[in-house]
Amino acid sequence: MKIDLHTHSIFSDGTDSIAELIHKARTAELNVIALTDHDSMTGINQAQALGKIAGMTVLRGMELSTHFDSDGKEVSVHLLAYGCNPEDPELEYTVETLCETRSSRVMRILGLLDNLGMPMDLWEVAAQSTNSVCVGRPHIADAMVIRGYVVDRDEAFQGYLNDEGPAYVRKYSPTLNQAIDIVNTAKGVPILAHPWGRGNKSVITEEVIADLATNHGLFGIEVDHVEHSAKDRQVLRGL
C-alpha cells in the first residue's frame, strides 16, 4: 500500500486542481492520500468524491499555521490535522481568523515590496489566487515571478518573504500547544509538519518534540519531507 499524507491543491498553495491532484495520485499508484491545504478544508468533499470514483481513499486533513515561542521570538511552525470534525466551533473560529489575518497582511507586504523597488497591485496577486480560500505569501511570490522580480517561488521566499526577510509581515496564529489542543478537541489527530524544515532544527529540538508528545497530546511527526536531510529523517524516524 502506498500512502501520501501531505498534499496541497489550488485551494491553498498547491498548483493542481482537486481533479488533477487525484489523477496524479492514481498515476503514482497511491492507495491513500490526505488533502492538507493550509488553514482550509474547502476541497475535502470534492477530493473524497473523486477519490472514491478513482478507487482510492482520501483522508480529511489540513495544515494549520501555528507558532512556537523561542527566546522571546515567535517561530512559524505548521501542524498537520487529520480527521477533525469540520463543524467544531473552536476549529472553525481558528480557521476563519487565520484566513482573515492572512488576507489583511497582503497589502502590508505589498507596501514593503514597493519600498524595495518591486511595486505590484493587489489585483496581480489576486489573479494568482482565484481558487484559493485565502490569499497569502505564495500568491505574492507567484505575482513576483510574473513581474520578473524573481525567477521562482523559492527565490521570492529566500530573498524577501521568509520570516527573516525584508518584506515579512507577521500574522496571527495560535501557539503550537493551543493548536494541538484545538485539533484534539475537534476529534482530530495532530502531527507536527516538517519539524526540522525551514531552519527550525535548533528550535523544535528532540526535547521539545518529546515534551509535545508526552505532555501536550502531539500524536506524531512528519519524517519524510523534501526539507529533511537523509540524516535528519533517520533521527526523526527514531524519535
Side-chain angles (χ1 to χ4, degrees):
M1 179 174 286
K2 296 176 68 176
I3 302 172
D4 188 340
L5 298 182
H6 191 161
T7 73
H8 295 294
S9 76
I10 55 176
F11 284 113
S12 63
D13 60 349
T15 57
D16 295 323
S17 68
I18 297 297
E20 290 169 337
L21 180 64
I22 297 299
H23 174 71
K24 287 185 176 180
R26 285 308 297 149
T27 300
E29 299 182 346
L30 292 172
N31 305 103
V32 181
I33 68 168
L35 180 61
T36 53
D37 281 326
H38 291 280
D39 305 322
S40 172
M41 288 190 281
T42 301
I44 295 295
N45 290 340
Q46 182 186 4
Q48 289 184 326
L50 292 178
K52 185 176 182 179
I53 294 172
M56 63 186 300
T57 299
V58 178
L59 302 179
R60 181 189 304 119
M62 178 168 50
E63 187 170 6
L64 279 172
S65 301
T66 85
H67 70 269
F68 184 79
D69 294 318
S70 175
D71 296 327
K73 177 184 176 182
E74 294 185 1
V75 178
S76 176
V77 181
H78 289 171
L79 184 72
L80 292 161
Y82 299 110
C84 292
N85 173 12
E87 297 179 354
D88 178 84
E90 189 172 10
L91 179 64
E92 280 191 314
Y93 175 78
T94 301
V95 170
E96 289 172 2
T97 305
L98 283 166
C99 188
E100 289 171 1
T101 56
R102 185 190 296 273
S103 298
S104 66
R105 73 172 179 164
V106 168
M107 289 303 300
R108 296 168 62 192
I109 293 177
L110 292 181
L112 292 174
L113 289 172
D114 185 63
N115 292 337
L116 292 169
M118 292 177 284
M120 288 188 297
D121 293 320
L122 182 59
W123 68 263
E124 295 178 79
V125 177
Q128 305 302 316
S129 61
T130 53
N131 296 288
S132 298
V133 178
C134 303
V135 181
R137 286 184 292 173
H139 307 116
I140 297 174
D142 291 343
M144 292 172 69
V145 173
I146 297 297
R147 274 277 196 154
Y149 296 143
V150 293
V151 174
D152 53 28
R153 274 190 185 183
D154 287 343
E155 183 180 347
F157 272 90
Q158 290 173 9
Y160 304 98
L161 302 176
N162 70 80
D163 292 4
E164 303 292 337
Y168 175 73
V169 173
R170 180 187 173 276
K171 74 174 186 300
Y172 158 80
S173 65
T175 67
L176 180 55
N177 289 352
Q178 288 171 335
I180 292 172
D181 287 341
I182 290 168
V183 173
N184 280 321
T185 300
K187 309 300 182 184
V189 178
I191 305 291
L192 194 58
H194 41 72
W196 287 352
R198 303 186 175 191
N200 281 352
K201 186 175 182 179
S202 62
V203 176
I204 308 299
T205 62
E206 296 181 37
E207 291 74 20
V208 167
I209 293 173
D211 178 65
L212 290 170
T214 303
N215 300 314
H216 299 286
L218 181 70
F219 190 82
I221 55 178
E222 182 177 27
V223 172
D224 293 313
H225 191 275
V226 66
E227 295 181 13
H228 290 162
S229 68
K231 183 178 180 180
D232 285 346
R233 295 184 194 200
Q234 183 179 11
V235 175
L236 288 169
R237 188 166 284 109
L239 291 178

